[in-house]
Amino acid sequence: MTPTAHRAVSTDARAEGRALNERQAAILEAVVTEYIGSAEPVGSSLVAHAPGVQVSSATVRSEMVALEREGYLVQPHTSAGRIPTDKGYRFFVDHLTQPGVLGPTQHKQVCRFFDQVHVEMEDMLERATGLLSELTSYAAVVVGPSHDSATIRSVQLVGLAPHLVLLVVVLSDGAVEKQTMEFEAEVADDVLTTAGALLSTHLVGRTTTTGWTVPSGGSAEVDRVVAAATAAFGLMGRSIESDQIFVGGPSRLAQSFDAVETVRSVLGILEQQLVVVTLLRDVLDRGLSVAIGTEHGYEPLASCAVVVAPVSIDGVDLGAVGLLGPTRMDYQRALAAAHVVGERLGQRLGETGRGGASAGAGSHDGGN
Amino acid sequence: MTPTAHRAVSTDARAEGRALNERQAAILEAVVTEYIGSAEPVGSSLVAHAPGVQVSSATVRSEMVALEREGYLVQPHTSAGRIPTDKGYRFFVDHLTQPGVLGPTQHKQVCRFFDQVHVEMEDMLERATGLLSELTSYAAVVVGPSHDSATIRSVQLVGLAPHLVLLVVVLSDGAVEKQTMEFEAEVADDVLTTAGALLSTHLVGRTTTTGWTVPSGGSAEVDRVVAAATAAFGLMGRSIESDQIFVGGPSRLAQSFDAVETVRSVLGILEQQLVVVTLLRDVLDRGLSVAIGTEHGYEPLASCAVVVAPVSIDGVDLGAVGLLGPTRMDYQRALAAAHVVGERLGQRLGETGRGGASAGAGSHDGGN
DNA sequence: GCCTGGCACTCAGTAGACTTGAGTGCCAGG
DNA sequence: CCTGGCACTCAAGTCTACTGAGTGCCAGGC
């Protein structure tokens, strides 16, 4: 690493502008690292003494001019140091960040979590957001698997009150959906039993997305109940198809930003679950694990970075975990935390044999 | 209302300090109203021209001195106007605020909400927080009824995978609880069926809080499943006893306060569900509907006011709705919104015959 | 006795002038 | 091609003065 060896660091940076040489990369790295820590513009003399740079501040300055021209750095005002642009962070994340592992304390924390947590999925996902946000001190998001490929394992009608009946459906992935049905007339217990049996026979084993018809049960009363249940299925559909989303540690956002307005708008985004899911999916689909600033296209999040990791088992997509913080976030820690938690969540979901195409493959015969 | 008629307005203010006369009350009211609107210290000349006051600013000033001495107002600094203290807001809320009704637009909004929303309780409560926070532009909290007095309506065992069984319990209030059980050995379907029937026979009709034992089912395998299910009941207990809590519009907090630190700490409180429930219960138990500033004893919420309304039907407590905003909140609107929503939620929960001792009484025919 | 107008006073907030110092760009010399 | 040096820039801090909103107090009037 002689000062004169200026091999290109980026393999594809040629695509736009000139590639950064090693020294420029080192300087950029120093600026980003320092800025992430201090949140204040970084001057040339500080960078000049950083390990891996070791040239005079004048040289650093001239390189900084180049980096600024190429769009990696900006100056808030003339006589200030430099701060990284989104492009600067992007280069940092892509080329200057080693995968990174969690610290021992945090690793322990993750292990403890997965030892303690029990099998109920929603509960696990919910608490995983807490874990993630505690590990990183950023806001965390976990998106659980949707149920649309699950099959129906059980259908049950339970009378709650003379005119009220609850339809309870158990899916192969362990999810339980319910829907209340209200009737004009009282519903007799034996009608419920008959209708329930009829529904069971025709629906168990089917997927929730396919359409089906249930033949008449012989009595008008039974048919009425069956029809109501079929309608209730339709109402349930919405919650079956929609992804489960959990948000953890939103109060951390207020630590990450000091402009109230930013906090407000980011919290606002987090309240719109659909937007969050779409955002995470988008980022993952584009093969990224980090979206910085405006890269994801949501203006209210322009001052945020999003770190995403898939939750999957054997290549089957089960969901995603995400972290939301300021663009000057500690990417290494965040990436490590997201990946570890995502991976172990995937293992867990796979382990219990749920939430995948493999769910029903078992040798176990016929539903009850 | 001659200027010299200084009848005491408060009936019990004698208890501490002197009672406020009518003019002082009017001045206090003007200050509070004005400050709620402008968030800036209110000067004497502004108050002098307020309707209901109509004296010179000099007179207002001397009354303000008295109000300050009694602790209803403070001056941020010598040459500034006055702002209300917690005690000032308290007097305002107790004596100067008429019950108040919602505006027509908002009333419509509430009606539309209760027309559209369907019967699933969690869903309704969840969305009620959205309604409340939209009505008032403060953060909203809804606490649902706990299930501890409900009886078991159905117990079911569903096989998910060879070693995995799901215990599904339906309660009389329409709640469905589930718990996954994992077995070392494969569980045969007929064992599940037998065990399920056994559990049903012995548990349906009981409350969730009482202890019970289920006799042997004749086979070791069945007994093993029953034992596991009994243990699973224990795990479920926690979620049955804990109250359901929903938070809506936390991003509104960032609008209410301009100090990031305040936003952070209040959001932090909202994340601790237990604390929030306790807070609401405390306030309700003390017979209050508003807790201002430090009245509730949680320092992080010292700059907040909490408006609470019970959700109950026929005197049976089903939960509570709450609003969280700055001490300079619009109490009249907030109180009106909380009461209306709380009341209608109570009606709804009662209407469907759930969530109360009255479940099953249902003389009422035909719902909506 | 109580209200009112008038007057002197206080003090936060704003604006302008000045200083400081961190940091830059540029250039000549090695 | 790197480096030290130098002149330059400009945000932030300090000091001063000014402004005006608002007060407290008092003497006079109803």
Side-chain angles (χ1 to χ4, degrees), chain A:
Chain A
M1 210 204 280
T2 62
T4 46
H6 288 173
R7 282 192 296 108
V9 166
S10 158
T11 52
D12 58 346
R14 218 174 323 125
E16 47 171 280
R18 293 205 330 290
L20 298 189
N21 59 42
E22 260 186 17
R23 192 168 65 192
Q24 288 173 325
I27 288 172
L28 178 56
E29 178 173 10
V31 171
V32 173
T33 311
E34 184 60 30
Y35 186 70
I36 283 176
S38 71
E40 284 184 354
V42 184
S44 56
S45 67
L46 201 58
V47 173
H49 299 125
V53 178
Q54 300 302 357
V55 288
S56 78
S57 65
T59 310
V60 172
R61 282 200 289 280
S62 69
E63 293 289 28
M64 276 174 155
V65 171
L67 285 169
E68 185 164 4
R69 192 178 40 227
E70 300 288 334
Y72 293 97
L73 298 176
V74 279
Q75 260 183 312
H77 57 84
T78 316
S79 68
R82 263 51 178 222
I83 61 178
T85 60
D86 290 354
K87 187 177 174 187
Y89 287 120
R90 166 56 59 195
F91 187 89
F92 177 79
V93 169
D94 285 348
H95 302 100
L96 305 172
T97 289
Q98 290 87 343
V101 284
L102 289 180
T105 328
Q106 300 170 328
H107 184 72
K108 217 168 195 168
Q109 214 174 332
V110 174
C111 290
R112 192 147 19 95
F113 175 83
F114 281 97
D115 284 348
Q116 284 184 350
V117 87
H118 56 296
V119 271
E120 242 39 64
M121 188 172 66
E122 291 86 347
D123 191 42
M124 181 166 68
L125 296 181
E126 164 92 61
R127 290 168 58 182
T129 62
L131 172 70
L132 263 173
S133 87
E134 210 170 297
L135 283 174
T136 60
S137 75
Y138 301 122
V141 179
V142 171
V143 180
S146 83
H147 306 298
D148 47 13
S149 68
T151 57
I152 296 172
R153 271 294 151 83
S154 148
V155 180
Q156 198 190 1
L157 294 174
V158 181
L160 293 178
H163 299 191
L164 266 191
V165 175
L166 191 70
L167 168 69
V168 180
V169 178
V170 181
L171 302 182
S172 56
D173 61 359
V176 177
E177 296 290 332
K178 61 170 180 170
Q179 184 67 45
T180 314
M181 300 180 293
E182 205 163 2
F183 293 93
E184 295 283 318
E186 204 161 312
V187 182
D189 271 359
D190 58 337
V191 173
L192 273 192
T193 314
T194 318
L198 201 61
L199 286 166
S200 269
T201 321
H202 285 85
L203 301 185
V204 167
R206 310 225 177 190
T207 66
T208 53
T209 47
T210 51
W212 14 250
T213 48
V214 178
S216 169
S219 117
E221 279 197 320
V222 171
D223 286 352
R224 194 159 357 108
V225 173
V226 169
T230 312
F233 261 103
L235 288 176
M236 257 170 41
R238 221 181 310 145
S239 63
I240 289 182
E241 277 159 36
S242 73
D243 308 87
Q244 317 169 64
I245 174 168
F246 305 90
V247 176
S251 72
R252 315 254 181 196
L253 284 174
Q255 291 172 314
S256 303
F257 302 98
D258 34 46
V260 207
E261 186 44 39
T262 314
V263 176
R264 202 200 55 71
S265 71
V266 178
L267 278 176
I269 290 278
L270 275 184
E271 280 175 43
Q272 299 170 269
Q273 310 202 328
L274 187 59
V275 175
V276 179
V277 176
T278 315
L279 168 61
L280 295 196
R281 284 269 143 76
D282 270 9
V283 176
L284 275 183
D285 287 350
R286 281 155 59 196
L288 298 176
S289 50
V290 180
I292 299 160
T294 54
E295 289 179 353
H296 43 60
Y298 292 87
E299 298 97 54
L301 299 182
S303 48
C304 292
V306 182
V307 168
V308 194
V311 176
S312 63
I313 181 75
D314 299 335
V316 183
D317 177 45
L318 296 181
V321 307
L323 287 166
L324 198 60
T327 46
R328 49 170 283 272
M329 71 159 42
D330 184 339
Y331 291 98
Q332 195 161 330
R333 268 169 65 111
L335 280 165
H339 275 118
V340 167
V341 174
E343 198 167 89
R344 300 201 58 166
L345 273 181
Q347 280 171 14
R348 239 339 149 66
L349 296 182
E351 217 169 72
T352 50
R354 300 139 92 219
S358 63
S363 62
H364 120 113
D365 49 344
N368 45 341

Side-chain angles (χ1 to χ4, degrees), chain B residues 73-129:
Chain B
L73 296 176
V74 279
Q75 259 183 311
H77 56 84
T78 315
S79 66
R82 261 54 176 221
I83 61 179
T85 60
D86 290 354
K87 186 178 174 186
Y89 286 120
R90 166 56 58 196
F91 187 89
F92 177 79
V93 169
D94 285 349
H95 303 101
L96 305 173
T97 289
Q98 290 86 343
V101 285
L102 290 180
T105 329
Q106 301 170 328
H107 184 71
K108 216 169 196 169
Q109 214 175 331
V110 173
C111 290
R112 191 148 18 96
F113 175 84
F114 281 97
D115 283 349
Q116 284 185 350
V117 87
H118 56 294
V119 270
E120 242 39 64
M121 185 172 67
E122 291 87 347
D123 191 41
M124 179 165 69
L125 296 182
E126 163 92 61
R127 289 167 60 184
T129 63

